[in-house]
Amino acid sequence: MLHTGVRRRQALEGRLNGHAEATGGSGISRLDGVTFDAVVVGGGVLGAGVARELARRGLDCLLVERWDFGWGTTARSTRLVHGGLRYLANYDFGLVREGLRERAWQLRVAPNLVTRLPFILPFYTEPLWKRLQLRAGLTLYDLLSPRGSLPRHRGVGREELARIEPTLSQEGLKGAAMYWDAQMELPERLIIDALRAAADAGSTVCNHVRPTGLRREAGSVTALELTGERSGETAVVRTARVVNASGPWADETLAAMGIRRPPLMRLNQGIHLVYPRLAEHAIAFEHPDDNRLCFMVPWQGGTMVGTTETDIATIGDAAIRPSEVEYLARATRARFRTPEAEQPLWGIVGVRSLINQPGRANRVSRRHVLVDHATEGARGLVTVAGGKLTAWRSIAAEVVDDVLGSRDRDALRPDPIGERVPTQTEPPGRDDVAERLWRLYGAHAPEVVATAATDPWWGEPLMSGESAIRAEIVHALEREWAVTLADLVHRRLMLGFGPDLGRRAAEAVATVCHERLGWDEGRVSRELVEFDRETAERRLPILV
Ligand SMILES: Cc1cc2nc3c(=O)[nH]c(=O)nc-3n(C[C@H](O)[C@H](O)[C@H](O)COP(=O)(O)OP(=O)(O)OC[C@H]3O[C@@H](n4cnc5c(N)ncnc54)[C@H](O)[C@@H]3O)c2cc1C
């Protein structure tokens, strides 16, 4: 059982992880009858974290993802690695402390992905007692942080503020505080790192595959039925343990596995608007309408503004609503009186899986849900959902403790992501391509460089004016389980965040796939249509 996976994965690897996927066939029929110690359903940050942790503890694990790794909530979050200042108001100190510990760890071990982010908290009309309360909250936040992980907060006078953030509205400004948190600009890339670590330890990873049935005997799980989302291929894998980590789709996934029960979670959507760059610092502010804490975060050359909290009945109801766009746009215009603040470029909607309890959504705990389905006749099946991107490692450790019925005290020791020391802990000089490869691929950057070295053509820029190189496409298809054009552009090469939402990059990638990687013209046009369909959900509704 322990690490038999390494050898077996090598046998399965060429068929499941290589170009077979890139042609659209999932190849999963080859898994038919294979036994796994555990199967993880869902390739968001929690599923990837659980697979990494299972593999780290020596289990032979399979992870299946329906639409692509990081496609779900993880890529629709504010992308902050934080304790959560607003959770202090709920007296959820344990949750804040856990986040701050995990923030310190990730800043240390994943410097290419997780970076320090200074926040400005401006004070406008708040009465003195409110300002003192906010400063007291920041002091507590500092005290809960591991010592020395980030600078402590400090006051910022009006003059300094006008100098460091000249476009921030000065009207009624009384001063500000500056505090520090962290940001993971590309959690999609962290998921790939965690999956690579799991695969290196012997796990099998399948993209565009979902469960379509759960087999049970005497109330215990014995096997999982799988179907390839694109190929329609099927397989039945044997296993006694299944972890449902399908985020806000968890109730849907349970239904597809034949588990009948009342909904586990309360679904609550949050949107973000993306603007051209508005400010150099992140800005935390209370929304003028209802005093909710919102953020403007510098991100990928622009500014992300969020978020909203709107309960929805089913996951299919998630969509950017005009009222939410207006709510965030109003606050943005109030804070920045510049032309850039007039028109958001695009938006994104994500769905929180909250513990199913009544009350205002921002008062409901952001803790994760961990449910054992033994009482529903499925011993061995557990669901994990909710929680925070920040705490992915500690939630994964708790899930695996639960699945195995034993606690591993080493799970939260300060080891690097991927169980290896990054080859570079500092950005490699000022070369744009080297900097980009380090940011995206971290310890795996030399693999991309090696691919580029096979033929100078692969080392060429993908498009003029971009530091992305053609070799990244091969790397994503061969080593990162990318299948579709949208997988490549949006969640591997990370080129979909500009005003054109990646359309130019999609054409460039499709051309390379056509010229060198065997995509015929029919495939290219189908992929572009699918790319446009997926990307359309980021367009903003026209406001009347
Ligand atoms: C608006 C918003 C802002 C947030 N901001 C922050 C923040 O700043 N910091 C922070 O720490 N946290 C934040 N969070 C919380 C954080 O994003 C989530 O806790 C985290 O991403 C959850 O990850 P997950 O893996 O559980 O879910 P997901 O990322 O949704 O992953 C679930 C995966 O399962 C797949 N799937 C679904 N159904 C199936 C199926 N049947 N078979 C196979 N696969 C399936 C999906 O495609 C998806 O990839 C935010 C959340 C929201 C909504």
Side-chain angles (χ1 to χ4, degrees):
M1 179 156 119
L2 299 186
H3 279 297
T4 48
V6 177
R7 244 173 298 119
R8 196 183 42 186
R9 185 177 68 86
Q10 284 161 356
L12 293 170
E13 193 177 48
R15 298 177 305 222
L16 286 170
N17 299 349
H19 278 290
E21 286 280 28
T23 60
S26 65
I28 56 155
S29 55
R30 287 160 179 112
L31 291 182
D32 199 41
V34 175
T35 303
F36 290 94
D37 296 332
V39 179
V40 180
V41 178
V45 76
L46 292 191
V50 170
R52 169 188 175 274
E53 184 59 19
L54 284 164
R56 202 187 65 76
R57 296 199 205 174
L59 273 85
D60 187 10
C61 157
L62 166 70
L63 180 140
V64 296
E65 158 60 45
R66 182 172 184 178
W67 289 295
D68 190 25
F69 310 113
W71 174 90
T73 322
T74 304
R76 297 152 189 270
S77 69
T78 316
R79 299 164 185 252
L80 298 178
V81 175
H82 62 164
L85 203 50
R86 85 174 103 183
Y87 313 137
L88 287 178
N90 300 357
Y91 305 106
D92 218 340
F93 301 135
L95 185 68
V96 176
R97 194 199 300 271
E98 177 190 46
L100 294 172
R101 184 196 63 215
E102 293 302 291
R103 181 188 75 180
W105 172 70
Q106 293 177 76
L107 276 166
R108 205 170 51 245
V109 303
N112 61 320
L113 293 171
V114 180
T115 49
R116 299 149 59 115
L117 184 64
F119 275 77
I120 286 181
L121 180 62
F123 302 128
Y124 287 94
T125 52
E126 296 83 354
L128 182 63
W129 69 265
K130 180 78 189 194
R131 278 183 273 153
L132 291 174
Q133 190 188 47
L134 287 166
R135 291 293 294 266
L138 289 175
T139 304
L140 184 58
Y141 203 60
D142 288 338
L143 290 173
L144 291 171
S145 302
R147 192 181 290 256
S149 57
L150 282 175
R152 295 183 163 237
H153 86 278
R154 66 178 177 88
V156 177
R158 291 185 53 179
E159 272 178 27
E160 183 185 353
L161 195 56
R163 188 165 37 78
I164 61 175
E165 282 303 348
T167 54
L168 188 65
S169 170
Q170 302 288 312
E171 208 179 300
L173 189 69
K174 297 200 175 98
M178 183 186 278
Y179 72 96
W180 292 78
D181 244 322
Q183 174 183 36
M184 188 186 310
E185 286 205 47
L186 304 173
E188 298 88 340
R189 298 295 325 168
L190 175 103
I191 291 178
I192 298 297
D193 265 11
L195 291 174
R196 291 279 318 257
D200 287 350
S203 296
T204 304
V205 176
C206 289
N207 203 358
H208 297 276
V209 171
R210 73 191 156 95
T212 36
L214 184 72
R215 298 197 181 169
R216 298 175 257 175
E217 274 170 32
S220 293
V221 170
T222 56
L224 193 66
E225 297 166 15
L226 301 173
T227 302
E229 193 70 2
R230 291 165 62 85
S231 65
E233 272 180 65
T234 59
V236 179
V237 294
R238 294 174 206 282
T239 186
R241 302 179 184 101
V242 175
V243 178
N244 173 19
S246 52
W249 294 269
D251 282 313
E252 255 188 19
T253 305
L254 289 173
M257 292 194 289
I259 306 292
R260 306 270 165 255
R261 54 155 300 135
L264 269 178
M265 284 160 323
R266 170 173 170 186
L267 302 180
N268 181 272
Q269 77 167 35
I271 74 154
H272 291 91
L273 299 180
V274 179
Y275 287 81
R277 180 62 63 96
L278 299 175
E280 290 314 307
H281 298 79
I283 314 280
F285 63 98
E286 292 198 334
H287 195 288
D289 290 5
D290 55 8
N291 297 335
R292 280 184 60 253
L293 190 63
C294 294
F295 298 111
M296 297 176 175
V297 181
W299 176 71
Q300 295 290 296
T303 293
M304 183 191 274
V305 180
T307 175
T308 55
E309 283 168 306
T310 311
D311 279 333
I312 52 174
T314 68
I315 185 82
D317 296 335
I320 299 176
R321 289 154 204 237
S323 57
E324 291 175 293
V325 176
E326 277 174 357
Y327 172 84
L328 292 178
R330 218 167 25 248
T332 309
R333 283 194 301 268
R335 291 290 166 260
F336 291 93
R337 303 201 192 284
T338 57
E340 290 76 22
E342 288 302 312
Q343 191 54 56
L345 301 171
W346 55 276
I348 191 155
V349 56
V351 179
R352 301 176 188 89
S353 338
L354 302 178
I355 296 171
N356 205 348
Q357 66 190 71
R360 258 178 72 184
N362 65 357
R363 293 270 166 201
V364 174
S365 174
R366 295 306 203 253
R367 284 184 183 279
H368 57 282
V369 186
L370 182 55
V371 179
D372 187 327
H373 297 283
T375 53
E376 288 135 30
R379 191 172 305 106
L381 171 66
V382 294
T383 293
V384 59
K388 288 167 64 194
L389 162 66
T390 308
W392 66 274
R393 178 184 69 146
S394 57
I395 297 174
E398 187 189 322
V399 173
V400 175
D401 285 349
D402 189 81
V403 166
L404 300 182
S406 66
R407 182 154 175 232
D408 179 351
R409 292 183 183 280
D410 278 350
L412 300 183
R413 74 177 193 270
D415 62 353
I417 289 172
E419 301 280 319
R420 73 185 81 209
V421 178
T423 49
Q424 288 154 318
T425 50
E426 291 296 329
R430 289 167 51 185
D431 174 336
D432 280 358
V433 174
E435 161 81 22
R436 172 184 161 83
L437 297 185
W438 178 76
R439 284 245 163 265
L440 263 66
Y441 306 99
H444 298 293
E447 296 171 358
V448 184
V449 174
T451 302
T454 58
D455 175 347
W457 191 86
W458 288 111
E460 293 288 315
L462 179 63
M463 300 174 284
S464 59
E466 274 289 346
S467 50
I469 58 171
R470 291 169 178 155
E472 293 176 56
I473 300 171
V474 181
H475 181 76
L477 293 170
E478 289 189 346
R479 296 181 188 253
E480 298 186 337
W481 309 278
V483 177
T484 71
L485 188 56
D487 299 351
L488 284 164
V489 175
H490 286 316
R491 289 171 293 274
R492 299 300 185 284
L493 277 64
M494 314 310 301
L495 295 172
F497 302 134
D500 79 340
L501 295 170
R503 191 54 163 80
R504 189 166 80 96
E507 285 166 23
V509 171
T511 303
V512 170
C513 291
H514 177 56
E515 286 178 7
R516 295 288 181 112
L517 298 171
W519 287 18
D520 61 24
E521 281 176 13
R523 171 111 195 248
V524 166
S525 41
R526 280 196 308 280
E527 292 284 351
L528 281 167
V529 168
E530 263 185 53
F531 176 89
D532 288 341
R533 194 178 306 134
E534 179 182 323
T535 309
E537 70 160 40
R538 295 186 185 178
R539 295 197 194 290
L540 296 175
I542 294 168
L543 304 181
V544 283

